[in-house]
């Protein structure tokens, strides 16, 4: 329940304060959000499987965001930023949908 309350508070604060994202950071924000969502859905799956570890979640969350941002940064420097961004989105999207499918099977015994 605490994570849900934290999420709700974060959304409300974000909507009220409307923070501006610096221009240099804008290409990395969507990728970082997708990487963070991958870690969150992985954590939910681990909780339902009974193997959740808070240390693993924190490391997964931070490493997903850093590695995804680094790949996009490297792509920008090589001149292929949009292609690598698409690759990161596809890979993380597949992982997210795989975790959601596992969560659905666990919750609905399907």
């Amino acid at each position: 329940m605490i994570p849900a309350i934290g999420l709700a508070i974060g959304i409300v604060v974000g909507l009220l304060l409307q923070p501006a994202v610096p221009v240099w950071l804008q290409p990395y924000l969507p990728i970082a959000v997708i990487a963070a969502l991958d870690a969150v859905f992985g954590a939910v799956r681990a909780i339902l499987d009974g193997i959740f570890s808070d240390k693993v979640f924190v490391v997964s969350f931070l490493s997903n965001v850093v590695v995804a941002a680094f790949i996009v940064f490297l792509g920008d420097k090589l001149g292929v930023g949009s292609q690598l961004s698409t690759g990161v989105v596809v890979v993380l999207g597949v992982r997210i949908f795989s975790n959601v499918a596992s969560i659905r099977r666990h919750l609905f015994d399907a």
Side-chain angles (χ1 to χ4, degrees):
M1 189 60 157
I2 293 174
I5 293 170
L7 177 64
I9 290 171
I11 290 172
V12 169
V13 169
L15 290 174
L16 291 177
L17 295 180
Q18 296 182 353
V21 178
V23 175
W24 64 270
L25 193 59
Q26 288 177 356
Y28 307 105
L29 186 61
I31 302 301
V33 169
I34 292 173
L37 284 174
D38 174 51
V40 169
F41 282 114
V44 171
R45 178 181 180 180
I47 288 170
L48 293 174
D49 289 342
I51 58 171
F52 178 77
S53 168
D54 54 348
K55 293 176 186 175
V56 172
F57 170 69
V58 170
V59 170
S60 172
F61 187 89
L62 294 175
S63 64
N64 278 3
V65 171
V66 169
V67 169
F70 177 72
I71 290 171
V72 174
F73 171 77
L74 188 62
D76 285 343
K77 294 302 175 191
L78 294 173
V80 292
S82 63
Q83 289 90 345
L84 284 180
S85 294
T86 302
V88 169
V89 168
V90 168
V91 168
L92 292 175
V94 167
R95 288 174 42 109
I96 288 170
F97 281 109
S98 173
N99 284 330
V100 169
S102 179
I103 291 166
R104 183 190 68 240
R105 282 191 301 272
H106 194 323
L107 291 176
F108 300 116
D109 294 324

